[in-house]
Amino acid sequence: KNEVEQSPQNLTAQEGEFITINCSYSVGISALHWLQQHPGGGIVSLFMLSSGKKKHGRLIATINIQEKHSSLHITASHPRDSAVYICAATTGGADGLTFGKGTHLIIQP
Amino acid sequence: ETGVTQSPTHLIKTRGQQVTLRCSSQSGHNTVSWYQQALGQGPQFIFQYYREEENGRGNFPPRFSGLQFPNYSSELNVNALELDDSALYLCASRTGQGPQETQYFGPGTRLLVL
């Protein structure tokens, strides 16, 4: 059974700071997803990674398959980035996604 | 907008009752998964349907059941509701495989069992 751990659980930072959220998993996966969840529940898919690095605007996601570790970075953070960020792993089969507990990020003006 | 809708948005039931939650995804999204998210926790996988057949299931009892229809809609049914079933229920449809895989999440249905 895959275990997905995220850190930190809670993070408060000032506007403009560089943010890093970490995710580790216990078994081999076919892909790792980074998701954003706002109050009220809606989840938006940010990235799906199977190797290397992806960038979208101020967001960067990296994955190290050998170390079973992924990071989500936010550059020049802004209060609108405040949300819960969740990583989720898939083995590619019919087992669905295994989610981390999420990182609650607050960016203060 | 993800193109995935869920209904109802909120629901209150009492212990022992039955509930049906609905999800509608985009045309061509053959795979749909349902997740339960308790307060302060990450979502937990309930089950997955592919072309109207259940092809994967998480650690949930048989009173959690589902259906998927040819029009890309699906249902989650929960019988004999328990207080611990209170949670946000999310459906997610999927397109593509491997590197081309994309997940689309609905806004969720928040269920409260009293």
Short mmCIF file of all heavy atoms in Angstrom, two decimals, chain A residues 30-89:
data_model
loop_
_atom_site.label_atom_id
_atom_site.label_comp_id
_atom_site.label_asym_id
_atom_site.label_seq_id
_atom_site.Cartn_x
_atom_site.Cartn_y
_atom_site.Cartn_z
N SER A 30 3.46 5.56 -11.12
CA SER A 30 3.55 5.92 -12.53
C SER A 30 3.46 7.44 -12.69
O SER A 30 3.95 7.98 -13.68
CB SER A 30 2.45 5.24 -13.34
OG SER A 30 1.18 5.70 -12.93
N ALA A 31 2.83 8.11 -11.73
CA ALA A 31 2.71 9.57 -11.84
C ALA A 31 2.36 10.16 -10.49
O ALA A 31 1.80 9.49 -9.63
CB ALA A 31 1.63 9.95 -12.86
N LEU A 32 2.72 11.43 -10.35
CA LEU A 32 2.37 12.16 -9.13
C LEU A 32 1.65 13.44 -9.54
O LEU A 32 2.09 14.15 -10.45
CB LEU A 32 3.62 12.48 -8.31
CG LEU A 32 3.30 13.10 -6.96
CD1 LEU A 32 3.91 12.29 -5.82
CD2 LEU A 32 3.73 14.53 -6.89
N HIS A 33 0.56 13.72 -8.85
CA HIS A 33 -0.23 14.91 -9.13
C HIS A 33 -0.07 15.94 -8.02
O HIS A 33 0.00 15.57 -6.84
CB HIS A 33 -1.72 14.56 -9.21
CG HIS A 33 -2.08 13.63 -10.32
ND1 HIS A 33 -2.69 14.06 -11.48
CD2 HIS A 33 -1.93 12.30 -10.46
CE1 HIS A 33 -2.90 13.03 -12.27
NE2 HIS A 33 -2.45 11.94 -11.69
N TRP A 34 0.01 17.19 -8.40
CA TRP A 34 -0.12 18.29 -7.44
C TRP A 34 -1.46 18.97 -7.71
O TRP A 34 -1.79 19.31 -8.85
CB TRP A 34 1.02 19.28 -7.59
CG TRP A 34 2.28 18.83 -6.92
CD1 TRP A 34 3.38 18.28 -7.51
CD2 TRP A 34 2.57 18.87 -5.51
NE1 TRP A 34 4.33 17.98 -6.55
CE2 TRP A 34 3.86 18.33 -5.33
CE3 TRP A 34 1.86 19.32 -4.39
CZ2 TRP A 34 4.46 18.23 -4.06
CZ3 TRP A 34 2.46 19.22 -3.15
CH2 TRP A 34 3.74 18.68 -2.99
N LEU A 35 -2.20 19.16 -6.61
CA LEU A 35 -3.56 19.68 -6.70
C LEU A 35 -3.71 20.86 -5.76
O LEU A 35 -3.00 20.95 -4.75
CB LEU A 35 -4.56 18.58 -6.31
CG LEU A 35 -4.39 17.24 -7.04
CD1 LEU A 35 -5.10 16.13 -6.26
CD2 LEU A 35 -4.92 17.31 -8.44
N GLN A 36 -4.63 21.74 -6.10
CA GLN A 36 -4.91 22.89 -5.24
C GLN A 36 -6.38 22.83 -4.83
O GLN A 36 -7.26 22.64 -5.69
CB GLN A 36 -4.64 24.18 -6.02
CG GLN A 36 -4.84 25.46 -5.23
CD GLN A 36 -4.80 26.68 -6.14
OE1 GLN A 36 -5.57 26.78 -7.09
NE2 GLN A 36 -3.91 27.61 -5.84
N GLN A 37 -6.63 22.98 -3.54
CA GLN A 37 -8.00 22.95 -3.03
C GLN A 37 -8.29 24.22 -2.26
O GLN A 37 -7.61 24.55 -1.30
CB GLN A 37 -8.23 21.73 -2.14
CG GLN A 37 -9.68 21.55 -1.71
CD GLN A 37 -9.92 20.23 -1.00
OE1 GLN A 37 -9.05 19.72 -0.30
NE2 GLN A 37 -11.10 19.66 -1.19
N HIS A 38 -9.34 24.94 -2.69
CA HIS A 38 -9.73 26.16 -2.02
C HIS A 38 -10.85 25.87 -1.01
O HIS A 38 -11.50 24.81 -1.11
CB HIS A 38 -10.20 27.20 -3.04
CG HIS A 38 -9.07 27.87 -3.76
ND1 HIS A 38 -8.33 28.88 -3.18
CD2 HIS A 38 -8.52 27.66 -4.97
CE1 HIS A 38 -7.39 29.28 -4.02
NE2 HIS A 38 -7.49 28.55 -5.11
N PRO A 39 -11.06 26.78 -0.05
CA PRO A 39 -12.18 26.61 0.89
C PRO A 39 -13.48 26.37 0.13
O PRO A 39 -13.73 26.99 -0.90
CB PRO A 39 -12.23 27.95 1.63
CG PRO A 39 -10.85 28.48 1.50
CD PRO A 39 -10.33 28.02 0.18
N GLY A 40 -14.28 25.42 0.59
CA GLY A 40 -15.46 25.06 -0.17
C GLY A 40 -15.29 23.75 -0.90
O GLY A 40 -16.26 23.10 -1.27
N GLY A 41 -14.04 23.34 -1.11
CA GLY A 41 -13.78 21.98 -1.56
C GLY A 41 -13.27 21.78 -2.96
O GLY A 41 -12.61 20.79 -3.22
N GLY A 42 -13.53 22.68 -3.88
CA GLY A 42 -13.16 22.43 -5.28
C GLY A 42 -11.68 22.17 -5.44
O GLY A 42 -10.84 22.87 -4.88
N ILE A 43 -11.34 21.13 -6.21
CA ILE A 43 -9.94 20.76 -6.43
C ILE A 43 -9.57 21.04 -7.88
O ILE A 43 -10.31 20.68 -8.80
CB ILE A 43 -9.70 19.27 -6.11
CG1 ILE A 43 -9.79 19.03 -4.60
CG2 ILE A 43 -8.34 18.82 -6.63
CD1 ILE A 43 -9.55 17.60 -4.18
N VAL A 44 -8.41 21.68 -8.05
CA VAL A 44 -7.90 21.97 -9.39
C VAL A 44 -6.58 21.24 -9.56
O VAL A 44 -5.73 21.27 -8.67
CB VAL A 44 -7.69 23.49 -9.57
CG1 VAL A 44 -7.04 23.78 -10.91
CG2 VAL A 44 -9.01 24.21 -9.46
N SER A 45 -6.43 20.59 -10.68
CA SER A 45 -5.17 19.91 -10.98
C SER A 45 -4.14 20.92 -11.45
O SER A 45 -4.38 21.69 -12.38
CB SER A 45 -5.40 18.84 -12.05
OG SER A 45 -4.20 18.20 -12.37
N LEU A 46 -2.97 20.95 -10.78
CA LEU A 46 -1.91 21.87 -11.15
C LEU A 46 -0.90 21.20 -12.09
O LEU A 46 -0.54 21.74 -13.12
CB LEU A 46 -1.18 22.37 -9.90
CG LEU A 46 -2.02 23.13 -8.88
CD1 LEU A 46 -1.20 23.44 -7.64
CD2 LEU A 46 -2.57 24.42 -9.49
N PHE A 47 -0.42 20.04 -11.67
CA PHE A 47 0.60 19.33 -12.45
C PHE A 47 0.38 17.83 -12.35
O PHE A 47 -0.12 17.34 -11.36
CB PHE A 47 2.02 19.60 -11.91
CG PHE A 47 2.49 21.01 -12.02
CD1 PHE A 47 2.52 21.83 -10.89
CD2 PHE A 47 2.95 21.52 -13.22
CE1 PHE A 47 2.97 23.13 -10.98
CE2 PHE A 47 3.40 22.82 -13.32
CZ PHE A 47 3.41 23.63 -12.20
N MET A 48 0.80 17.13 -13.39
CA MET A 48 0.96 15.69 -13.33
C MET A 48 2.37 15.40 -13.80
O MET A 48 2.76 15.80 -14.90
CB MET A 48 -0.06 14.99 -14.21
CG MET A 48 -0.22 13.50 -13.93
SD MET A 48 1.03 12.49 -14.72
CE MET A 48 0.55 12.64 -16.44
N LEU A 49 3.15 14.72 -12.95
CA LEU A 49 4.56 14.49 -13.23
C LEU A 49 4.86 13.01 -13.22
O LEU A 49 4.40 12.29 -12.33
CB LEU A 49 5.42 15.09 -12.12
CG LEU A 49 5.54 16.59 -11.96
CD1 LEU A 49 6.11 16.90 -10.58
CD2 LEU A 49 6.46 17.15 -13.02
N SER A 50 5.65 12.56 -14.16
CA SER A 50 6.20 11.21 -14.07
C SER A 50 7.72 11.26 -14.00
O SER A 50 8.35 10.27 -13.63
CB SER A 50 5.74 10.35 -15.24
OG SER A 50 6.04 10.98 -16.46
N SER A 51 8.31 12.38 -14.37
CA SER A 51 9.75 12.55 -14.25
C SER A 51 10.09 14.03 -14.41
O SER A 51 9.28 14.81 -14.96
CB SER A 51 10.49 11.73 -15.32
OG SER A 51 10.19 12.23 -16.60
N GLY A 52 11.26 14.41 -13.93
CA GLY A 52 11.80 15.73 -14.20
C GLY A 52 11.08 16.87 -13.52
O GLY A 52 10.85 16.86 -12.32
N LYS A 53 10.74 17.86 -14.33
CA LYS A 53 10.30 19.14 -13.81
C LYS A 53 9.27 19.73 -14.76
O LYS A 53 9.35 19.57 -15.97
CB LYS A 53 11.54 20.03 -13.72
CG LYS A 53 11.33 21.47 -13.36
CD LYS A 53 12.70 22.17 -13.33
CE LYS A 53 12.60 23.66 -13.28
NZ LYS A 53 13.94 24.29 -13.20
N LYS A 54 8.27 20.43 -14.17
CA LYS A 54 7.31 21.17 -14.98
C LYS A 54 7.13 22.55 -14.39
O LYS A 54 7.22 22.73 -13.17
CB LYS A 54 5.96 20.44 -15.04
CG LYS A 54 5.96 19.22 -15.93
CD LYS A 54 4.56 18.67 -16.12
CE LYS A 54 4.56 17.50 -17.09
NZ LYS A 54 3.21 16.93 -17.29
N LYS A 55 6.85 23.52 -15.26
CA LYS A 55 6.68 24.90 -14.81
C LYS A 55 5.43 25.46 -15.46
O LYS A 55 5.16 25.26 -16.65
CB LYS A 55 7.91 25.73 -15.21
CG LYS A 55 7.90 27.16 -14.71
CD LYS A 55 9.21 27.85 -15.08
CE LYS A 55 9.35 29.23 -14.44
NZ LYS A 55 8.41 30.21 -14.96
N HIS A 56 4.65 26.19 -14.63
CA HIS A 56 3.47 26.87 -15.16
C HIS A 56 3.34 28.18 -14.40
O HIS A 56 2.97 28.19 -13.22
CB HIS A 56 2.22 26.02 -15.00
CG HIS A 56 0.99 26.66 -15.56
ND1 HIS A 56 0.79 26.82 -16.91
CD2 HIS A 56 -0.09 27.20 -14.95
CE1 HIS A 56 -0.37 27.43 -17.10
NE2 HIS A 56 -0.93 27.66 -15.94
N GLY A 57 3.67 29.27 -15.09
CA GLY A 57 3.63 30.56 -14.42
C GLY A 57 4.62 30.61 -13.27
O GLY A 57 5.80 30.33 -13.44
N ARG A 58 4.11 30.93 -12.07
CA ARG A 58 4.98 31.00 -10.89
C ARG A 58 5.12 29.67 -10.16
O ARG A 58 5.76 29.58 -9.12
CB ARG A 58 4.43 32.07 -9.93
CG ARG A 58 4.44 33.48 -10.50
CD ARG A 58 3.88 34.50 -9.51
NE ARG A 58 2.46 34.29 -9.27
CZ ARG A 58 1.96 33.77 -8.16
NH1 ARG A 58 2.77 33.39 -7.17
NH2 ARG A 58 0.66 33.64 -8.01
N LEU A 59 4.52 28.64 -10.69
CA LEU A 59 4.56 27.33 -10.05
C LEU A 59 5.56 26.43 -10.76
O LEU A 59 5.60 26.38 -12.00
CB LEU A 59 3.18 26.68 -10.08
CG LEU A 59 2.03 27.42 -9.41
CD1 LEU A 59 0.73 26.65 -9.59
CD2 LEU A 59 2.32 27.64 -7.94
N ILE A 60 6.32 25.71 -9.94
CA ILE A 60 7.29 24.74 -10.47
C ILE A 60 7.13 23.46 -9.68
O ILE A 60 7.06 23.49 -8.45
CB ILE A 60 8.74 25.25 -10.31
CG1 ILE A 60 8.92 26.61 -10.99
CG2 ILE A 60 9.73 24.23 -10.89
CD1 ILE A 60 10.21 27.32 -10.59
N ALA A 61 7.07 22.34 -10.37
CA ALA A 61 6.99 21.04 -9.70
C ALA A 61 8.14 20.17 -10.18
O ALA A 61 8.45 20.15 -11.38
CB ALA A 61 5.66 20.36 -9.97
N THR A 62 8.77 19.49 -9.25
CA THR A 62 9.87 18.58 -9.58
C THR A 62 9.59 17.22 -8.96
O THR A 62 8.86 17.10 -7.97
CB THR A 62 11.21 19.11 -9.05
OG1 THR A 62 11.16 19.16 -7.61
CG2 THR A 62 11.50 20.50 -9.57
N ILE A 63 10.17 16.20 -9.56
CA ILE A 63 10.05 14.86 -9.00
C ILE A 63 11.37 14.12 -9.16
O ILE A 63 12.04 14.25 -10.21
CB ILE A 63 8.88 14.08 -9.63
CG1 ILE A 63 8.63 12.78 -8.86
CG2 ILE A 63 9.13 13.81 -11.11
CD1 ILE A 63 7.32 12.09 -9.23
N ASN A 64 11.76 13.39 -8.11
CA ASN A 64 12.94 12.53 -8.15
C ASN A 64 12.46 11.11 -7.94
O ASN A 64 12.11 10.73 -6.82
CB ASN A 64 13.95 12.95 -7.07
CG ASN A 64 15.24 12.17 -7.14
OD1 ASN A 64 15.24 10.95 -7.34
ND2 ASN A 64 16.36 12.86 -6.99
N ILE A 65 12.40 10.34 -9.01
CA ILE A 65 11.83 9.00 -8.95
C ILE A 65 12.66 8.09 -8.04
O ILE A 65 12.11 7.30 -7.26
CB ILE A 65 11.74 8.39 -10.36
CG1 ILE A 65 10.81 9.23 -11.24
CG2 ILE A 65 11.26 6.95 -10.31
CD1 ILE A 65 9.37 9.25 -10.79
N GLN A 66 13.99 8.21 -8.11
CA GLN A 66 14.85 7.34 -7.30
C GLN A 66 14.63 7.58 -5.81
O GLN A 66 14.62 6.65 -5.02
CB GLN A 66 16.33 7.56 -7.65
CG GLN A 66 16.75 6.98 -9.01
CD GLN A 66 16.22 7.78 -10.18
OE1 GLN A 66 16.04 9.00 -10.08
NE2 GLN A 66 15.97 7.11 -11.28
N GLU A 67 14.48 8.87 -5.44
CA GLU A 67 14.32 9.20 -4.02
C GLU A 67 12.86 9.18 -3.59
O GLU A 67 12.56 9.44 -2.43
CB GLU A 67 14.94 10.57 -3.74
CG GLU A 67 16.46 10.58 -3.94
CD GLU A 67 17.07 11.91 -3.53
OE1 GLU A 67 16.33 12.78 -3.04
OE2 GLU A 67 18.30 12.05 -3.71
N LYS A 68 11.93 8.93 -4.53
CA LYS A 68 10.50 8.91 -4.23
C LYS A 68 10.09 10.22 -3.54
O LYS A 68 9.47 10.22 -2.46
CB LYS A 68 10.13 7.71 -3.37
CG LYS A 68 10.37 6.37 -4.07
CD LYS A 68 9.83 5.21 -3.23
CE LYS A 68 9.90 3.90 -3.97
NZ LYS A 68 11.25 3.49 -4.34
N HIS A 69 10.42 11.31 -4.19
CA HIS A 69 10.19 12.62 -3.58
C HIS A 69 9.82 13.63 -4.66
O HIS A 69 10.37 13.60 -5.76
CB HIS A 69 11.46 13.08 -2.85
CG HIS A 69 11.32 14.41 -2.19
ND1 HIS A 69 11.66 15.59 -2.83
CD2 HIS A 69 10.87 14.75 -0.96
CE1 HIS A 69 11.42 16.60 -2.00
NE2 HIS A 69 10.95 16.11 -0.87
N SER A 70 8.89 14.51 -4.31
CA SER A 70 8.49 15.58 -5.22
C SER A 70 8.36 16.87 -4.43
O SER A 70 8.09 16.84 -3.22
CB SER A 70 7.16 15.24 -5.89
OG SER A 70 6.72 16.29 -6.72
N SER A 71 8.59 17.98 -5.10
CA SER A 71 8.42 19.28 -4.48
C SER A 71 7.59 20.19 -5.37
O SER A 71 7.65 20.10 -6.60
CB SER A 71 9.77 19.96 -4.23
OG SER A 71 10.52 19.25 -3.27
N LEU A 72 6.81 21.05 -4.72
CA LEU A 72 6.07 22.10 -5.41
C LEU A 72 6.63 23.43 -4.91
O LEU A 72 6.72 23.65 -3.70
CB LEU A 72 4.58 22.02 -5.11
CG LEU A 72 3.71 23.14 -5.71
CD1 LEU A 72 3.65 23.01 -7.22
CD2 LEU A 72 2.31 23.11 -5.12
N HIS A 73 7.05 24.27 -5.84
CA HIS A 73 7.59 25.57 -5.49
C HIS A 73 6.68 26.66 -6.03
O HIS A 73 6.14 26.54 -7.13
CB HIS A 73 8.99 25.77 -6.09
CG HIS A 73 9.96 24.68 -5.76
ND1 HIS A 73 10.57 24.57 -4.53
CD2 HIS A 73 10.41 23.64 -6.51
CE1 HIS A 73 11.37 23.52 -4.53
NE2 HIS A 73 11.30 22.94 -5.72
N ILE A 74 6.54 27.73 -5.24
CA ILE A 74 5.82 28.91 -5.69
C ILE A 74 6.77 30.09 -5.58
O ILE A 74 7.30 30.37 -4.49
CB ILE A 74 4.56 29.19 -4.84
CG1 ILE A 74 3.65 27.96 -4.81
CG2 ILE A 74 3.81 30.40 -5.38
CD1 ILE A 74 2.45 28.12 -3.88
N THR A 75 7.03 30.75 -6.70
CA THR A 75 7.89 31.93 -6.67
C THR A 75 7.03 33.18 -6.53
O THR A 75 5.87 33.20 -6.96
CB THR A 75 8.73 32.03 -7.95
OG1 THR A 75 7.84 32.16 -9.07
CG2 THR A 75 9.59 30.79 -8.15
N ALA A 76 7.59 34.21 -5.91
CA ALA A 76 6.90 35.49 -5.75
C ALA A 76 5.47 35.26 -5.26
O ALA A 76 4.50 35.68 -5.90
CB ALA A 76 6.91 36.27 -7.05
N SER A 77 5.34 34.61 -4.11
CA SER A 77 4.02 34.21 -3.61
C SER A 77 3.11 35.43 -3.41
O SER A 77 3.56 36.55 -3.14
CB SER A 77 4.17 33.44 -2.31
OG SER A 77 4.82 34.22 -1.33
N HIS A 78 1.82 35.17 -3.55
CA HIS A 78 0.80 36.21 -3.49
C HIS A 78 -0.34 35.70 -2.62
O HIS A 78 -0.60 34.49 -2.57
CB HIS A 78 0.32 36.49 -4.92
CG HIS A 78 -0.56 37.68 -5.03
ND1 HIS A 78 -1.92 37.64 -4.79
CD2 HIS A 78 -0.28 38.96 -5.37
CE1 HIS A 78 -2.42 38.84 -4.96
NE2 HIS A 78 -1.45 39.66 -5.32
N PRO A 79 -1.06 36.61 -1.95
CA PRO A 79 -2.19 36.15 -1.11
C PRO A 79 -3.18 35.26 -1.84
O PRO A 79 -3.78 34.37 -1.22
CB PRO A 79 -2.84 37.47 -0.66
CG PRO A 79 -1.69 38.41 -0.57
CD PRO A 79 -0.78 38.05 -1.72
N ARG A 80 -3.35 35.43 -3.14
CA ARG A 80 -4.29 34.56 -3.86
C ARG A 80 -3.78 33.12 -4.00
O ARG A 80 -4.53 32.23 -4.42
CB ARG A 80 -4.61 35.12 -5.24
CG ARG A 80 -3.44 35.17 -6.19
CD ARG A 80 -3.87 35.62 -7.59
NE ARG A 80 -2.72 35.80 -8.47
CZ ARG A 80 -2.11 36.96 -8.66
NH1 ARG A 80 -2.56 38.04 -8.05
NH2 ARG A 80 -1.07 37.05 -9.46
N ASP A 81 -2.52 32.89 -3.65
CA ASP A 81 -2.00 31.52 -3.63
C ASP A 81 -2.44 30.76 -2.37
O ASP A 81 -2.19 29.55 -2.27
CB ASP A 81 -0.46 31.53 -3.68
CG ASP A 81 0.09 32.14 -4.97
OD1 ASP A 81 -0.55 31.98 -6.02
OD2 ASP A 81 1.16 32.78 -4.89
N SER A 82 -3.04 31.46 -1.44
CA SER A 82 -3.48 30.81 -0.20
C SER A 82 -4.51 29.73 -0.52
O SER A 82 -5.54 30.00 -1.16
CB SER A 82 -4.08 31.84 0.75
OG SER A 82 -3.12 32.82 1.10
N ALA A 83 -4.22 28.52 -0.11
CA ALA A 83 -5.07 27.36 -0.42
C ALA A 83 -4.46 26.14 0.25
O ALA A 83 -3.41 26.24 0.89
CB ALA A 83 -5.15 27.13 -1.93
N VAL A 84 -5.10 25.00 0.09
CA VAL A 84 -4.50 23.74 0.51
C VAL A 84 -3.91 23.08 -0.73
O VAL A 84 -4.58 22.95 -1.76
CB VAL A 84 -5.54 22.81 1.16
CG1 VAL A 84 -4.91 21.46 1.51
CG2 VAL A 84 -6.13 23.45 2.41
N TYR A 85 -2.65 22.69 -0.63
CA TYR A 85 -1.96 22.03 -1.74
C TYR A 85 -1.79 20.56 -1.38
O TYR A 85 -1.30 20.22 -0.31
CB TYR A 85 -0.62 22.70 -2.02
CG TYR A 85 -0.81 24.09 -2.57
CD1 TYR A 85 -1.00 25.18 -1.72
CD2 TYR A 85 -0.84 24.32 -3.95
CE1 TYR A 85 -1.23 26.46 -2.23
CE2 TYR A 85 -1.05 25.59 -4.46
CZ TYR A 85 -1.25 26.65 -3.59
OH TYR A 85 -1.47 27.91 -4.10
N ILE A 86 -2.22 19.71 -2.29
CA ILE A 86 -2.23 18.28 -2.02
C ILE A 86 -1.44 17.55 -3.10
O ILE A 86 -1.58 17.86 -4.29
CB ILE A 86 -3.68 17.74 -2.03
CG1 ILE A 86 -4.57 18.54 -1.08
CG2 ILE A 86 -3.70 16.27 -1.65
CD1 ILE A 86 -6.04 18.15 -1.16
N CYS A 87 -0.61 16.62 -2.68
CA CYS A 87 0.01 15.75 -3.67
C CYS A 87 -0.70 14.40 -3.65
O CYS A 87 -1.23 13.98 -2.61
CB CYS A 87 1.51 15.58 -3.46
SG CYS A 87 1.99 14.69 -1.98
N ALA A 88 -0.77 13.76 -4.78
CA ALA A 88 -1.47 12.49 -4.91
C ALA A 88 -0.71 11.61 -5.89
O ALA A 88 -0.32 12.07 -6.96
CB ALA A 88 -2.90 12.70 -5.37
N ALA A 89 -0.54 10.35 -5.52
CA ALA A 89 0.24 9.42 -6.35
C ALA A 89 -0.66 8.37 -6.96
O ALA A 89 -1.66 7.97 -6.38
CB ALA A 89 1.32 8.74 -5.49
#
